[in-house]
Amino acid sequence: MAIIETHALTRTFKKTRAVDSLDLKVERGELFGLIGPDGAGKTTTLRLLAGLLDITEGEATVAGYDLKTRAEAIKKHIGYMAQQFSLYAELTVLENLHFFAEIYDVPPAELAGRTERLLAFAGLTEFKHRRAAHLSGGMQKKLALACTLIHEPEILLLDEPTTGVDPVSRREFWNILTDLHLQGTTIIVSTPYMDEADRCSRVGLMYAGKLVACDSPRALRERLNADVVEVHPADWRAARRVIAALDGVRQVQTYGEALHVLVDHGERRLREITRALKKASITVHSIRLAPPRMEETFIAMIQALTSSPDHPTT
Amino acid sequence: MKHILAVTRKEFLHILRDRSTLFLVLFTPTLLLLFFAYSLTVDIQHVEIAVLDYDRSAASRAFVQQITAGDDLDLYAQVTSFEELDRLLLEGKIKAALIIAPDFSESLMTLRGTPLQVLIDGTEPESGSFAVDHIARRAEAFVTETLGAQLEARGLSAASLEPLDIRVRAWFNPSLKPRNDLVPGLISMVLGMPALSVALAIAHEREHGTLEQLMATPIGRAELLIGKIIPYLLVGLFNVVLMPALAIALFHISLNGSFLLFFALSAVFLFAILSMGVLIGVFMRTQAAALALSFLLIFYPGFFLTGIFFPLASMPEVVRLEAMFLPGTPYATITRGIFLPAVGIDVLWPYVVMLLFQAVVFTAVAALFFRKKLA
């Protein structure tokens, strides 16, 4: 049985359907990424799964408990980290951990061992007597994660845990998540970063409260049915104009002085682009085919959704 | 129970670590008490007056000299025209003016009644009416004295002129120092301050997202709320000891009743008012809103509805009914009762029942409406 399962899960705020008939199934041990534009309903979904919001319609079970009737029972089994997670700033790292340990009824005999492990895990051992207010943003996020892990939950619900954190801390944070994933913890994480989505075992794309695509990152990329042509022209401004006017070009992104062109058919369009640039007498330093990354996949999917009024489930 | 202690310890650490919070939470009630007690009970003295003496007789000069002799009234100027008086009043140089009619000494000697006119600055009625009272009192004495001398000179007894002697005797506060009655009332008002802190503390957690985090844990609603109340209850009790000590040391007020009873009933009051603070914290989304509502429900009613400054009996039925739901009302009666006539629980018990009832209602409503849900 899936550890998280929802059927037509709906939550409305006044007239907005923040989550709209969501059918989601997450198996035990998955690292599930929730992506989508701002306002797509990711945060509401995570809050519903954490039992922090009432369900308007539909059903959901988390860790075998019905979310409608047993929302309190779920809380022992989950670790939830809110988007604006803020710790008790005046408490030290250790005091924060111990506070949550007491709230979660961690057996006193295990407390010392767990605290030790988590501190080492989060790289906070040498800062354990520092007040949370005086930690860097990245360290605060890691401490927050450690606090949600103190009771060794089966399920982790993380709402954009790395937003606003520098790349090195972000990498460290994800290394921790990968370790937890390997240990068998089920993780649902929402993220605005596509490189993070690429590290998930499965990704769900939310749009206007609905789950519009749900698959492994690789399958999503392949399903996009597109290739990327990477061009490094001498005059990228002129090249951009020429390329954008060609057939089969879905979008052109600028990366410094290089262009990433999303096309429907790699081999054929690469030849056409080369020809067109030559005709316009624009020198090309290099041109090559590349697989689309999650970023292009995401943008292409969202563009497809915004241009058609009824959401296709590609 | 373990959860309650965890919340309480966390809250205590939070208060202790932040110096300014610590100071504010710990001393606000006592500081407010001192502030109000000093500012509200300073005796009126040295009120500046001007005199327009149309009579210019020996009697009128003696009279002016007599009324301005003590520390109560100071003679700012002797003027010669009404315009001058008017100007001094307008400019705020004087708070009152005395006009002595041209026939002052003549009337005095012929027993025709002695007309005196006093003008006061209506924008400061306190000083003005003080001046009127003072002049009237002195005038009476002056008349009695002068006429007595006259009569005796003519061989009559002055005893027949003895004015009516009314003596007001205030029970429970024989020296009639305003502080005696005011300070216990003020205590009941300022002891509501910890409720403001607890309302803010809950709103703070909501604003900073830590409440969302707590809602995602298995902690019970009541555990969280009670855990939050305890530190502020202790802070309040600290003030319950400190305030009477200062009242006795600084204002020479005597605590006529039992301190233990005062302490115990203050604890009941704190429980009731803190439940009210929790209720405010539960309903308000932000600290700013919690602060505004706390002032509206805790602080201002303490001023106006507990009968400290304005007798409740003079208020309309609706307001009196409203006052019954504010913990400050019964507690004001309790503090005064214990401080002044030293009454015991045999008299005060209905007020204690009222406080307990309020505490239970507020806690129940707070626990009912505080769901572990975000919206």
Side-chain angles (χ1 to χ4, degrees), chain A residues 47 51-54 72 75-76 80 82 84-86 88 90-91 95 99 102-105 131 148, chain B residues 2-3 6 9-10 14 17 205 208 210 212-219 371-375:
Chain A
R47 284 176 168 174
L52 295 176
L53 289 171
D54 286 321
E72 277 306 299
K75 293 178 178 172
K76 280 202 288 285
Y80 167 78
Q84 293 94 10
F85 185 102
S86 95
Y88 292 105
E90 301 303 328
L91 268 57
E95 284 164 350
F99 173 66
E102 278 171 359
I103 297 297
Y104 279 112
D105 294 313
R131 287 192 198 175
T148 61
Chain B
K2 221 184 98 207
H3 293 170
R9 181 170 336 118
K10 188 259 316 168
H14 194 85
R17 295 276 162 81
E205 289 226 24
H208 285 249
T210 47
E212 179 173 356
Q213 204 61 41
L214 280 178
M215 285 175 175
T217 72
I219 191 170
R371 303 174 60 234
K372 285 169 72 184
K373 301 280 179 189
L374 289 167

Side-chain angles (χ1 to χ4, degrees), chain B residues 43-329:
Chain B
D43 294 327
I44 298 176
Q45 272 188 334
H46 298 290
V47 175
E48 304 269 26
I49 64 160
V51 174
L52 174 54
D53 182 2
Y54 286 118
D55 191 39
R56 294 178 210 229
S57 63
S60 71
R61 274 195 295 277
F63 178 60
V64 169
Q65 219 235 313
Q66 203 175 90
I67 62 165
T68 54
D71 287 333
D72 295 339
L73 298 184
D74 289 352
L75 183 62
Y76 182 81
Q78 281 265 18
V79 298
T80 49
S81 72
F82 187 79
E83 284 68 35
E84 263 183 277
L85 267 191
D86 200 35
R87 189 173 50 80
L88 288 174
L89 269 173
L90 276 176
E91 286 172 356
K93 297 267 165 50
I94 55 171
K95 302 296 168 217
L98 171 67
I99 301 173
I100 300 172
D103 55 351
F104 177 78
S105 54
E106 199 193 321
S107 312
L108 193 64
M109 296 311 157
T110 53
L111 294 176
R112 269 192 287 139
T114 39
L116 286 171
Q117 189 182 11
V118 181
L119 298 176
I120 67 166
D121 179 357
T123 60
E124 252 183 76
E126 292 292 332
S127 304
S129 49
F130 172 78
V132 173
D133 284 351
H134 181 83
I135 293 169
R137 240 182 6 255
R138 286 301 175 92
E140 201 177 320
F142 181 76
V143 169
T144 316
E145 230 170 83
T146 324
L147 288 184
Q150 289 269 324
L151 288 174
E152 261 165 33
R154 296 177 192 181
L156 292 168
S157 162
S160 59
L161 278 168
E162 201 66 48
L164 248 174
D165 182 15
I166 302 168
R167 293 196 189 175
V168 181
R169 184 163 157 255
W171 283 21
F172 315 132
N173 186 6
S175 59
L176 208 65
K177 280 184 301 192
R179 282 167 189 163
N180 252 8
D181 150 76
L182 190 69
V183 170
L186 284 175
I187 287 178
S188 71
M189 188 179 96
V190 297
L191 201 57
M193 295 311 285
L196 225 120
S197 307
V198 81
L200 282 179
I202 293 174
H204 180 272
E205 289 226 24
R206 193 187 292 279
E207 244 178 18
H208 285 249
T210 47
L211 194 64
E212 179 173 356
Q213 204 61 41
L214 280 178
M215 285 175 175
T217 72
I219 191 170
R221 295 176 296 173
E223 290 174 332
L224 179 55
L225 296 183
I226 295 171
K228 273 276 193 212
I229 282 185
I230 291 174
Y232 298 97
L233 185 73
L234 295 179
V235 163
L237 289 176
F238 167 74
N239 281 282
V240 167
V241 177
L242 190 60
M243 288 193 297
L246 282 177
I248 292 165
L250 296 175
F251 308 127
H252 311 292
I253 284 168
S254 48
L255 175 60
N256 297 326
S258 144
F259 175 74
L260 273 182
L261 183 66
F262 172 68
F263 188 82
L265 298 190
S266 296
V268 177
F269 164 74
L270 279 168
F271 180 39
I273 197 93
L274 287 170
S275 319
M276 197 166 156
V278 165
L279 195 60
I280 292 169
V282 163
F283 275 102
M284 295 294 107
R285 302 265 132 192
T286 62
Q287 289 190 78
L291 188 66
L293 193 64
S294 299
F295 263 87
L296 212 61
L297 290 182
I298 296 171
F299 199 64
Y300 293 139
F303 240 95
F304 298 110
L305 294 185
T306 50
I308 302 173
F309 298 116
F310 310 99
L312 266 183
S314 68
M315 294 187 185
E317 191 71 23
V318 191
V319 177
R320 266 188 288 170
L321 207 68
E322 192 189 332
M324 286 301 108
F325 278 94
L326 300 167
T329 315

Side-chain angles (χ1 to χ4, degrees), chain A residues 78-156:
Chain A
I78 60 165
Y80 167 78
M81 189 171 151
Q83 195 172 344
Q84 293 94 10
F85 185 102
S86 95
L87 295 145
Y88 292 105
E90 301 303 328
L91 268 57
T92 65
V93 169
L94 211 55
E95 284 164 350
N96 267 294
L97 273 173
H98 284 170
F99 173 66
F100 282 100
E102 278 171 359
I103 297 297
Y104 279 112
D105 294 313
V106 172
E110 287 182 32
L111 182 62
R114 274 195 212 179
T115 312
E116 212 53 26
R117 264 202 311 283
L118 281 173
L119 285 175
F121 197 44
L124 290 169
T125 309
E126 55 179 311
F127 303 108
K128 63 182 172 190
H129 295 301
R130 194 181 279 196
R131 287 192 198 175
H134 301 148
L135 295 176
S136 73
M139 286 199 277
Q140 284 185 356
K141 297 282 184 179
K142 283 187 281 186
L143 172 57
L145 182 65
C147 287
T148 61
L149 289 172
I150 193 84
H151 58 302
E152 302 185 336
E154 299 166 57
I155 303 167
L156 262 187

Side-chain angles (χ1 to χ4, degrees), chain A residues 16-65:
Chain A
T16 333
R17 291 171 85 84
V19 171
D20 190 359
S21 316
L22 183 79
D23 290 318
L24 180 70
K25 213 168 171 180
V26 178
E27 299 296 333
R28 192 172 284 277
E30 274 197 89
L31 172 49
F32 189 91
L34 211 49
I35 60 171
D38 288 343
K42 305 185 295 281
T43 295
T44 307
T45 303
L46 287 168
R47 284 176 168 174
L48 281 167
L49 294 178
L52 295 176
L53 289 171
D54 286 321
I55 294 172
T56 311
E57 277 164 48
E59 271 142 49
T61 55
V62 175
Y65 295 103

